[in-house]
Amino acid sequence: MTETLRRHGLTATFFVETAHTNYFPPDAMGRYVDLLQAAGQDVQLHLHPSWLSFHNGRLAPGERVTDHCSELSRARLAEVIAAGCEQIRAWTGRRPSGMRTGNFSTSLSVFEAMSDAGLENASNICLAMVPPPEEELRVSGGSHRFAGIRELPVTCFADTGPVGRGKLRPMQITALSADEQISLLQQAHDERRRVVVIVTHPFEYLKKKDFRYRGLKPNRLVQGRLERLCAFLARNDDRFAVVPLAEAARRTETESAPPLKGHALRAALRATANAINDRLL
């Protein structure tokens, strides 16, 4: 991911999990943060609170913590966020200004806890994956302000393909063909939308035999999608600016954005390609 981004002169935001330091030593992730910084990428906070079930590498007796930030109390979550910010500062020398919750689990109390902990920006919402409990948070894109936090949700679109017709899908590298990604970006540009958020994860770029990640191989289909998307954005930098979360938040005012609209033929081709790729290890 970093090699592809750097080759095309692009900077992305990497949300780095910190609560896992209750199990792993800090330098386990710290080495990857060093690589991200050396590659000129942005590092912000990510939290999976299930790691709070551990203490010094051992499962705490009788303690099981949810993996959903929205299920923690506001005060407890504010403490965990503050600790995560200090861990990011220890790795990078800078306190993060933004966060993405694990599993896109969020609620109004999550934004309140973020504000209590001194954060400013978020990308917590992905309506296609996890609808928040409050109606006001069920946004499919654009730029919003909740409890003083600038939220840039993952951009979603209405699928018209043979598999997910009528459903919302996220703009996610593994979920869409490069043609679909580019077409949706063109659509957003034509509609004068100010911000598009694309999501991806490192595990999307490899194949494995089992949950222990044995038999690793490159997922060349998904790697190719990232390459094509980055090449398109680099060639069209007069129309699209690829910026980290904080800069995107600074550049945007509150903007509601209905879901983008998918294309049936491109969706059918993507579904076919995904089905073939999934069966080829």
Side-chain angles (χ1 to χ4, degrees):
M1 292 171 69
T2 56
E3 289 170 1
T4 303
L5 290 163
R6 181 162 52 183
R7 188 165 57 251
H8 293 288
L10 304 178
T11 300
T13 290
F14 285 76
F15 295 97
V16 177
E17 217 284 327
T18 60
H20 70 278
T21 53
N22 286 283
Y23 186 88
F24 295 102
D27 63 350
M29 183 66 79
R31 294 193 298 269
Y32 293 101
V33 174
D34 291 343
L35 291 172
L36 291 172
Q37 292 204 104
Q41 302 303 310
D42 177 49
V43 174
Q44 298 295 330
L45 179 63
H46 190 50
L47 280 179
H48 279 277
S50 59
W51 291 106
L52 302 176
S53 298
F54 297 88
H55 181 67
N56 291 332
R58 294 182 179 276
L59 188 64
E63 183 168 349
R64 297 293 185 275
V65 179
T66 175
D67 200 33
H68 296 279
C69 288
S70 60
E71 295 180 5
L72 270 63
S73 72
R74 174 176 172 176
R76 175 59 173 144
L77 182 57
E79 292 177 358
V80 176
I81 292 172
C85 288
E86 288 308 306
Q87 184 58 69
I88 295 289
R89 191 206 300 270
W91 282 328
T92 67
R94 300 182 303 277
R95 194 178 192 274
S97 62
M99 169 178 156
R100 172 171 285 161
T101 51
N103 310 303
F104 291 106
S105 172
T106 195
S107 62
L108 189 57
S109 65
V110 171
F111 289 102
E112 292 170 341
M114 290 178 63
S115 183
D116 294 342
L119 291 181
E120 302 171 12
N121 311 305
S123 184
N124 289 340
I125 299 172
C126 183
L127 190 59
M129 293 185 179
V130 184
E134 296 94 346
E135 185 67 32
E136 66 186 287
L137 301 186
R138 295 178 186 176
V139 291
S140 59
S143 177
H144 309 267
R145 190 171 289 280
F146 302 119
I149 301 294
R150 175 63 68 186
E151 163 68 22
L152 303 181
V154 173
T155 302
C156 298
F157 73 99
D159 199 359
T160 57
V163 177
R165 183 178 290 110
K167 296 182 178 180
L168 282 183
R169 292 178 69 90
M171 285 192 68
Q172 183 173 1
I173 305 295
T174 191
L176 299 177
S177 69
D179 285 341
E180 285 180 293
Q181 296 276 11
I182 292 169
S183 175
L184 290 168
L185 284 170
Q186 301 273 28
Q187 183 183 146
H189 181 270
D190 292 344
E191 295 177 2
R192 299 183 180 277
R193 302 194 184 205
R194 297 297 304 275
V195 61
V196 170
V197 176
I198 300 174
V199 64
T200 190
H201 304 84
F203 58 76
E204 297 172 13
Y205 299 94
L206 53 85
K207 293 183 175 186
K208 62 186 188 298
K209 288 184 177 179
D210 56 35
F211 74 98
R212 294 191 183 278
Y213 283 74
R214 287 180 288 214
L216 289 181
K217 291 177 61 176
N219 190 326
R220 301 196 184 280
L221 178 70
V222 180
Q223 290 186 12
R225 289 173 177 174
L226 180 66
E227 172 65 33
R228 282 195 58 197
L229 175 64
C230 290
F232 169 81
L233 290 167
R235 287 195 309 270
N236 292 273
D237 59 358
D238 58 328
R239 295 190 296 148
F240 301 97
V242 181
V243 298
L245 174 68
E247 186 173 347
R250 284 195 299 269
R251 291 189 183 194
T252 57
E253 299 296 332
T254 299
E255 172 187 272
S256 295
L260 294 166
K261 296 180 181 178
H263 185 277
L265 178 58
R266 293 190 184 97
L269 293 173
R270 171 246 300 162
T272 302
N274 283 351
I276 295 171
N277 187 56
D278 289 344
R279 286 164 175 76
L280 296 176
L281 184 63

